[in-house]
Amino acid sequence: MHLDKSDPATSGRTLPRLAKAAFGTILLFGVGSVAMAQNMVMRSTGPSASSYPAGKKMANDAKISLKAQDQVTILTKAGTRVLKGPGTFSLAQGGGSASTASRRLSSFISNRGSSRARTGAVRAAGAVAVETPHNPNLWFLDVTKGGKFCVADADALIVWRPDYTGSATASIVEPKDGNVTEIAWRKGSALKAWPKEVLPVTDGASFRLLGSNVPQSVEVNFVVLKNEPTDLDDAASMLIENGCSGQLDLLVETLSLNNGDSADQG
């Protein structure tokens, strides 16, 4: 993983410390010690959505009754499980290995094995298909995504860009006075320390970000967590409670991709 250390807003001595602190925060759960949530609703759509709101927890022997067009994503001790109605589903059925899910989640949280989420092209059946880069960490701020963003460590925020095949810059605009602070990535670098000395990360602060390779700007609203999550269940609950839907989507998508989950159809 490459953390660009050329940010003019921070000294060459400070950035390595920030990177070290960031990785200390990233390793919240520790390899092999990730506590998986047991049966918590991550997202829900359809006629029965109000009966299964995000954050709802259910016992292992609970049953879920869904109508047509319903879809509920459940976080279990073995990863994610997607239920599609109509039908009645038992949470005691299905699911894979909890230890396998734990290892895969640890890899995502610690950024091991996915530090280079490359943007590239692969050839399939005579056509070129573009690979979609995936944010390798729950706490990296995606320069292309707006909305509420939960910050686990205000002193170690990292900005991530999906496409790092070339050099790029991003402008951070303060909405109140319009002041602009720029950060720059070198070719091959995906990570950049947030310029906290110039723009402190505080709860409720809002900024508009515009990357040089991004079609439009996005507004980010920081939610600084009072306590660092102690396990996956805690992290998911905090994201839901604070409305950090982008990170919640990233968590669900990462679990689904790593676990190879398929939907249970009624």
Side-chain angles (χ1 to χ4, degrees), residues 1-81:
M1 176 166 44
H2 301 282
L3 177 64
D4 197 331
K5 300 179 181 179
S6 61
D7 189 344
T10 52
S11 68
R13 182 175 59 183
T14 302
L15 269 173
R17 180 174 58 80
L18 287 178
K20 184 177 181 180
F23 285 107
T25 300
I26 289 165
L27 291 170
L28 291 174
F29 310 113
V31 176
S33 62
V34 177
M36 299 299 293
Q38 294 197 24
N39 307 329
M40 181 170 68
V41 177
M42 300 291 279
R43 61 161 70 121
S44 180
T45 59
S48 303
S50 60
S51 298
Y52 304 103
K56 180 175 182 177
K57 297 182 181 180
M58 291 165 287
N60 288 330
D61 59 353
K63 292 186 178 181
I64 295 180
S65 296
L66 300 180
K67 300 176 182 179
Q69 307 304 315
D70 278 336
Q71 181 168 315
V72 179
T73 301
I74 307 290
L75 180 62
T76 74
K77 65 180 181 180
T80 53
R81 186 178 174 192

Side-chain angles (χ1 to χ4, degrees), residues 74-229:
I74 307 290
L75 180 62
T76 74
K77 65 180 181 180
T80 53
R81 186 178 174 192
V82 180
L83 309 177
K84 292 184 178 181
T88 299
F89 306 86
S90 172
L91 296 182
Q93 300 173 350
S97 167
S99 60
T100 299
S102 177
R103 289 194 299 271
R104 287 170 174 168
L105 181 63
S106 293
S107 179
F108 166 61
I109 295 298
S110 65
N111 199 30
R112 296 188 179 186
S114 58
S115 60
R116 295 191 177 188
R118 296 184 182 278
T119 302
V122 294
R123 187 170 300 277
V128 174
V130 178
E131 297 176 349
T132 301
H134 191 76
N135 189 337
N137 194 272
L138 186 62
W139 310 109
F140 288 171
L141 174 61
D142 186 341
V143 73
T144 69
K145 306 285 187 182
K148 285 188 175 182
F149 183 85
C150 287
V151 180
D153 186 346
D155 291 327
L157 179 62
I158 300 296
V159 186
W160 175 80
R161 60 169 177 151
D163 181 0
Y164 57 95
T165 54
S167 59
T169 61
S171 298
I172 305 173
V173 184
E174 300 175 66
K176 292 184 178 180
D177 51 28
N179 289 339
V180 178
T181 300
E182 284 198 346
I183 57 176
W185 291 271
R186 293 173 296 181
K187 181 179 180 180
S189 175
L191 309 181
K192 191 72 178 180
W194 178 272
K196 68 170 187 175
E197 284 78 10
V198 179
L199 302 173
V201 178
T202 58
D203 187 56
S206 295
F207 298 95
R208 185 161 291 278
L209 278 65
L210 177 59
S212 58
N213 296 330
V214 179
Q216 62 183 13
S217 64
V218 296
E219 183 174 334
V220 177
N221 304 292
F222 288 140
V223 178
V224 178
L225 301 178
K226 295 180 180 179
N227 300 301
E228 294 185 358

